[in-house]
Amino acid sequence: MSERLVPAPKLIWQNDHYTVLLDATLGIVWNVRSGRPFASLEELEAVKAALCHCLDGLGRSRYALLVDVRAAPGRNDPSFEAAMDRIRPRWLRGFRRVGVLVQSVVGAMQIQRYARQDGIERLVTADESALLRYLTEEG
């Protein structure tokens, strides 16, 4: 019996801060954050605008979104928080489901606070298998 080959996720877009992968088989768009810090709020906003433009071109409603922030440098200063408050809804809205893969309890608490503020439901976990199950469930 031959082994079924599952295609690897396809690289859609990449810069110094994010990699966007599309797994059409699972119906998941991956946003993988690098460990490189943003040099300025202007850079943060420009990168997120380009990321959102990329996601818009994919047809958000067809996919679940998996955001992997395990490598992201921690940051919660007031100017960063204000910028992210403006950016997050545009970034996360429109997907079938949203899941965030975190490394730490502190990271999970920050993302859960964002979810309450945004009103966008998402699963936040350090368990990649559980996140993939959640993102591929029907309904």
Side-chain angles (χ1 to χ4, degrees), residues 18-109:
Y18 280 95
T19 300
V20 176
L21 303 166
L22 175 61
D23 188 324
T25 303
L26 294 178
I28 297 175
V29 175
W30 295 67
N31 289 187
V32 182
R33 178 71 168 90
S34 76
R36 183 177 180 160
F38 291 104
S40 66
L41 291 178
E42 292 78 18
E43 181 182 39
L44 167 68
E45 297 210 26
V47 166
K48 293 290 189 170
L51 175 62
C52 288
H53 180 73
C54 170
L55 297 175
D56 290 344
L58 295 176
R60 293 169 182 251
S61 64
R62 297 171 42 198
Y63 300 105
L65 176 66
L66 189 156
V67 180
D68 182 345
V69 294
R70 291 177 292 185
R75 186 167 175 183
N76 67 349
D77 55 273
S79 56
F80 173 81
E81 291 283 330
M84 288 303 295
D85 286 348
R86 291 188 305 274
I87 294 165
R88 275 190 321 272
R90 165 113 168 73
W91 176 22
L92 302 177
R93 280 209 166 90
F95 289 96
R96 281 192 343 260
R97 289 186 174 201
V98 176
V100 183
L101 195 54
V102 296
Q103 179 174 298
S104 68
V105 171
V106 171
M109 290 172 57

